[in-house]
Amino acid sequence: MNPAEQNMEPELEIWRGKAYPLGATYDGSGTNFALFSEVAERVELCLFDADGVETRLTLPEVDGFVWHGFVPSVEPGQRYGYRVHGPYDPAAGHRCNPNKLVLDPYAKAINGSFTWGQPLFSYNFGDPDSRNDDDSAANMPKAVVINPYFDWGVDHPPKHEYADTVIYEAHVKGLTETHPDIPEQIRGTYAAVAHPVIIEHLQSLGVTAIELMPVHHFVNDSGLIDKGLSNYWGYNTIGFLAPDPKYSSSPTPGGHVQEFKAMVRALHEANIEVILDVVYNHTAEGNHMGPTLSMRGIDNAAYYRLVDDDKRYYMDYTGTGNSLNVGHPHSLQLIMDSLRYWVTEMHVDGFRFDLAATLAREFYDVDRLSAFFELVQQDPIVSQVKLIAEPWDVGPGGYQVGNFPPLWTEWNGKYRDTVRDYWRGEPATLDEFASRLTGSADLYEQTGRRPFASINFVTAHDGFTLRDLVSYNEKHNAANGEDNRDGESNNKSWNCGAEGPTEDPAINALRARQQRNFLTTLLLSQGVPMISHGDELGRTQQGNNNVYCQDNALSWIDWESADTDLLEFARSVSAVRSAHPVFRRRRFFNGRPVREAGAAALPDIAWLAPDGSDMTTEDWETGYAKSVAVYLNGQGIPDTDVRGQRVVDDSFLLCFNAHYEAIEFTLPPEEFGTSWVPIVSSAANPDDEPLAPGARVNVEARAVLVLQAHQD
């Protein structure tokens, strides 16, 4: 900072203030500032005016390693940062440098962007063991004091039960950037997500919760910027309490907080919950070669996992350079305070935790009883919202599908892999396909969880879109500038006979049918379905399975090219799920007979071979078997409604045929139903003429047929 741009003799008063809450808290008469640092020797609060002139105030008090002060004249909109005086000894894990302006980890709004260059780094380029004292203030965005007031009106959380939930994973910009009915000035923003055309689209799909990809303030990596790319996905967090202004139409510093709240309020009015994809496993400061932006310069050893025998280096269970130190109480407090803030102040309804296995690494191994999970379990606020784990990281033993505590649900990676393998015709998949279709009891029942512990998905942001899953055998990531080395190589995809776009009508018809197969399976499986945005519209990324850096038409939904036939099909299947509780049971099947007065005792579920006989062990173990029918007994649902009344439903028969030829299925005898009506077919519009018990029905090659039972 040029001395002319710094007020060294401030006229502002600063009082001692309070150590809690952490961050900047405006109370109507001024603002309290509080910052944790166990290693700091002095902390300066740096206030910036509209011209960038900096005023420094030393925080006058420290209690329990929290430095604090109250400035009576500071109001919402004030930009600020900190300078932390303390040891700079990387070998001992300390990296304080008062020449580096650092962001408040508790900032509720951040304004501006990073200007990449030497000042952001505490070492000289080319010599990581040196120290650089260039002032970084001009290169840094600034935290912003916000006005906490917002008129929520009568807002209340929808609180949908998990079993009734349909999740739609979406990117704020990717979902809304090209929609022709959204005003151009708000496309790609929180306001656009709240626009009536987006809400109507979600409602038409039966969506009850939108899961937004990261909206915490994140950093665009310098390496991507140099390539003309950007961190589109946002898994590079630097502000755990601040919504990113890149998704805001408001020009006012801090205005994006109000816009985010207005989005949540509008979605709640439409009975749609808001779930945030959150990244608490690492930050944007990277490894020992990374910049000093926030926690590194505040208390490096408290906030980050360091290598025990050489604290210059960072433990990396995420593949991003660092891992947050969830074994330290103040690091844990930051995570919990952030979660509570988003629930209580921003009114969100749940969280999906990126690489959640990292949060269980209290020491080295993944520990499901780590302090983080104990705190969540005991917290009266966080424990009451939806908690979804991405149950893996990149460290040893990081794949933990099925191993999270009872309060949690999980992205079921085994569901994704099995369903993909089944429909592309892989051998010996039928038995596991049956398990995934019925809620993955093998993964969740032993821990006392229910079918809805399984968040079922076929595609997500990471990987192929649904259309690309049936159009490409190989990834095509050249646009990312990494010589096609990035992204997963084993996609469990099948191009149906040609790589990429084709004019072959038979291949295109098969691809369309395969997409319908996947959507039908997903929406009618037990558990919670998650649709990846645009899959219902036939969205393509042209074979790129890793568009993390593609903030352009490659990754956005192309609303003008939407596959309206596929959309209508998805809507119709989702409506079947919504209307029939037999597809969203709250308890696992047990296979035991259900005895009704005057009726045959039928099991709650039955697996039938195409000839109508019960599936045998030999049938399940036949590697080439790819066809099965499953009977779901609507009288065998062991649930009650909110009034305690027993839940009953119609019964259904789902005929799955992943074989390359059509298969004839024999319908069950009369005790299962006196007639059967086809209601869903992935091959063609179903003929709604009733079929008699024992009738034979043709199921096309690679298709699924759903029939509804009727009793005279």
Side-chain angles (χ1 to χ4, degrees):
M1 174 70 70
N2 187 308
E5 297 175 314
Q6 177 187 326
N7 185 355
M8 300 299 293
E9 297 180 358
E11 299 177 359
L12 295 176
E13 288 187 86
I14 183 166
W15 303 345
R16 67 181 184 183
K18 298 178 180 179
Y20 188 85
L22 290 162
T25 306
Y26 175 70
D27 68 359
S29 63
T31 303
N32 191 81
F33 295 89
L35 180 78
F36 161 77
S37 177
E38 193 170 345
V39 298
E41 297 161 1
R42 183 163 68 95
V43 175
E44 289 180 301
L45 168 66
C46 307
L47 305 176
F48 294 84
D49 67 14
D51 297 322
V53 176
E54 176 182 355
T55 297
R56 300 183 187 178
L57 302 171
T58 297
L59 294 180
E61 293 285 343
V62 57
D63 294 301
F65 303 117
V66 175
W67 302 77
H68 54 91
F70 181 87
V71 185
S73 56
V74 167
E75 296 185 343
Q78 174 67 57
R79 300 186 305 148
Y80 73 98
Y82 291 108
R83 297 181 185 273
V84 178
H85 298 256
Y88 185 82
D89 184 1
H94 305 311
R95 295 179 179 267
C96 298
N97 185 341
N99 298 293
K100 309 302 175 183
L101 187 79
V102 291
L103 286 170
D104 183 358
Y106 279 77
K108 298 181 180 69
I110 298 173
N111 175 252
S113 58
F114 295 92
T115 302
W116 289 100
Q118 178 65 79
L120 291 181
F121 296 80
S122 286
Y123 64 90
N124 295 300
F125 290 160
D127 185 6
D129 293 325
S130 64
R131 171 171 169 153
N132 176 274
D133 286 334
D134 293 346
D135 194 291
S136 68
N139 296 66
M140 287 286 294
K142 311 299 186 293
V144 180
V145 177
I146 69 162
N147 185 342
Y149 176 75
F150 179 77
D151 184 5
W152 284 103
V154 295
D155 180 73
H156 63 276
K159 291 189 175 180
H160 295 294
E161 292 191 40
Y162 268 119
D164 301 328
T165 297
V166 175
I167 297 174
Y168 191 83
E169 186 200 29
H171 186 283
V172 170
K173 187 172 185 181
L175 174 64
T176 64
E177 182 65 19
T178 72
H179 202 296
D181 296 329
I182 297 176
E184 286 190 26
Q185 65 270 23
I186 68 167
R187 291 179 188 173
T189 69
Y190 305 120
V193 175
H195 193 277
V197 295
I198 297 297
I199 289 177
E200 289 166 10
H201 178 75
L202 297 176
Q203 290 176 322
S204 76
L205 270 175
V207 169
T208 67
I210 185 168
E211 181 179 302
L212 295 177
M213 290 176 65
V215 297
H216 287 177
H217 196 100
F218 64 90
V219 176
N220 270 323
D221 318 53
S222 60
L224 291 176
I225 293 173
D226 291 342
K227 294 178 182 179
L229 303 170
S230 66
N231 193 318
Y232 169 65
W233 281 351
Y235 291 94
N236 206 27
T237 304
I238 199 63
F240 292 137
L241 285 80
D244 200 297
K246 290 187 281 291
Y247 303 136
S248 175
S249 60
S250 172
T252 306
H256 54 289
V257 178
Q258 303 289 313
E259 185 174 336
F260 183 93
K261 291 179 177 179
M263 175 194 72
V264 173
R265 183 179 61 193
L267 288 164
H268 282 182
E269 288 174 356
N271 206 27
I272 297 172
E273 294 177 303
V274 179
I275 298 172
L276 300 187
D277 190 340
V278 290
V279 186
Y280 293 114
N281 53 73
H282 74 282
T283 77
E285 292 188 287
N287 62 16
H288 64 288
M289 302 290 284
T292 297
L293 309 177
S294 181
M295 290 177 269
R296 168 173 283 145
I298 296 171
D299 195 332
N300 185 60
Y303 281 115
Y304 294 114
R305 292 285 302 273
L306 306 178
V307 175
D308 289 337
D309 55 0
D310 194 343
K311 296 185 182 299
R312 288 177 299 177
Y313 302 110
Y314 295 77
M315 298 297 293
D316 182 11
Y317 299 115
T318 63
T320 60
N322 65 52
S323 301
L324 214 63
N325 185 7
V326 292
H328 192 283
H330 277 89
S331 185
L332 277 173
Q333 181 184 359
L334 171 60
I335 297 173
M336 295 304 299
D337 285 349
S338 168
L339 293 170
R340 279 190 292 269
Y341 175 79
W342 285 98
V343 175
T344 59
E345 297 298 321
M346 308 296 268
H347 287 208
V348 305
D349 305 282
F351 305 95
R352 178 266 187 188
F353 292 79
D354 178 64
L355 300 180
T358 299
L359 299 173
R361 292 183 185 272
E362 191 164 313
F363 298 104
Y364 178 78
D365 294 327
V366 176
D367 179 8
R368 66 185 294 230
L369 299 178
S370 70
F372 171 70
F373 294 102
E374 291 177 350
L375 288 174
V376 169
Q377 182 74 35
Q378 297 169 13
D379 191 279
I381 294 171
V382 180
S383 66
Q384 299 306 301
V385 301
K386 288 183 168 64
L387 302 171
I388 305 170
E390 182 185 31
W392 49 76
D393 65 16
V394 301
Y399 191 77
Q400 294 291 321
V401 172
N403 292 330
F404 276 70
L407 190 65
W408 291 68
T409 63
E410 301 175 14
W411 269 26
N412 190 344
K414 292 186 176 181
Y415 179 96
R416 172 199 60 202
D417 295 346
T418 301
V419 171
R420 288 186 179 194
D421 276 345
Y422 174 75
W423 281 117
R424 68 187 180 126
E426 286 294 291
T429 56
L430 193 60
D431 55 347
E432 188 169 359
F433 176 76
S435 178
R436 303 297 157 242
L437 184 73
T438 53
S440 296
D442 58 322
L443 299 177
Y444 304 113
E445 191 171 24
Q446 63 184 354
T447 57
R449 289 190 279 176
R450 303 287 183 85
F452 48 75
S454 178
I455 306 297
N456 299 328
F457 67 106
V458 175
T459 62
H461 69 272
D462 189 2
F464 282 147
T465 67
L466 185 61
R467 179 174 168 183
D468 289 355
L469 185 68
V470 301
S471 303
Y472 295 90
N473 285 348
E474 308 296 335
K475 63 186 179 182
H476 296 265
N477 297 359
N480 296 353
E482 299 182 42
D483 296 323
N484 211 41
R485 293 189 303 268
D486 64 300
E488 176 61 55
S489 295
N490 181 19
N491 292 285
K492 297 183 178 292
S493 61
W494 178 44
N495 64 20
C496 298
E499 188 73 357
T502 179
E503 298 299 320
D504 189 313
I507 291 176
N508 286 328
L510 176 56
R511 288 175 176 176
R513 189 159 70 249
Q514 286 285 72
Q515 291 177 80
R516 294 193 291 268
N517 288 335
F518 282 121
L519 286 170
T520 303
T521 305
L522 175 66
L523 289 167
L524 299 186
S525 292
Q526 304 299 322
V528 178
M530 185 185 79
I531 301 168
S532 181
H533 78 192
D535 275 356
E536 76 284 5
L537 303 167
R539 184 173 76 92
T540 178
Q541 294 171 171
Q542 299 174 27
N544 191 317
N545 72 354
N546 191 31
V547 295
Y548 77 102
C549 58
Q550 299 293 334
D551 187 3
N552 50 51
L554 186 66
S555 59
W556 305 333
I557 290 178
D558 181 359
W559 287 93
E560 298 282 10
S561 301
D563 184 339
T564 54
D565 290 338
L566 184 63
L567 174 60
E568 287 307 312
F569 181 84
R571 287 170 171 167
S572 66
V573 181
S574 183
V576 171
R577 177 187 181 85
S578 177
H580 294 286
V582 74
F583 295 112
R584 40 190 174 83
R585 290 165 52 109
R586 289 162 173 78
R587 289 173 175 81
F588 289 106
F589 294 99
N590 58 41
R592 292 192 291 270
V594 178
R595 298 192 178 277
E596 292 290 322
L602 298 173
D604 59 359
I605 187 171
W607 298 96
L608 306 174
D611 65 4
S613 63
D614 290 334
M615 288 285 286
T616 65
T617 300
E618 183 179 357
D619 291 332
W620 287 116
E621 294 177 351
T622 300
Y624 58 80
K626 298 181 178 65
S627 304
V628 69
V630 55
Y631 166 77
L632 305 180
N633 188 346
Q635 298 293 320
I637 305 173
D639 297 327
T640 58
D641 61 22
V642 293
R643 296 169 296 178
Q645 301 298 309
R646 179 169 170 257
V647 174
V648 295
D649 193 10
D650 295 327
S651 298
F652 292 83
L653 187 73
L654 284 66
C655 301
F656 293 94
N657 178 25
H659 192 53
Y660 60 82
E661 293 180 329
I663 295 288
E664 194 172 63
F665 282 76
T666 299
L667 300 183
E670 188 171 354
E671 58 264 29
F672 286 80
T674 56
S675 64
W676 294 91
V677 177
I679 61 168
V680 174
S681 171
S682 66
N685 291 328
D687 183 352
D688 58 4
E689 285 297 316
L691 299 170
R696 295 179 179 179
V697 59
N698 193 62
V699 178
E700 296 293 333
R702 297 188 175 95
V704 57
L705 176 67
V706 180
L707 303 102
Q708 186 173 359
H710 291 268
Q711 294 286 355
D712 293 338

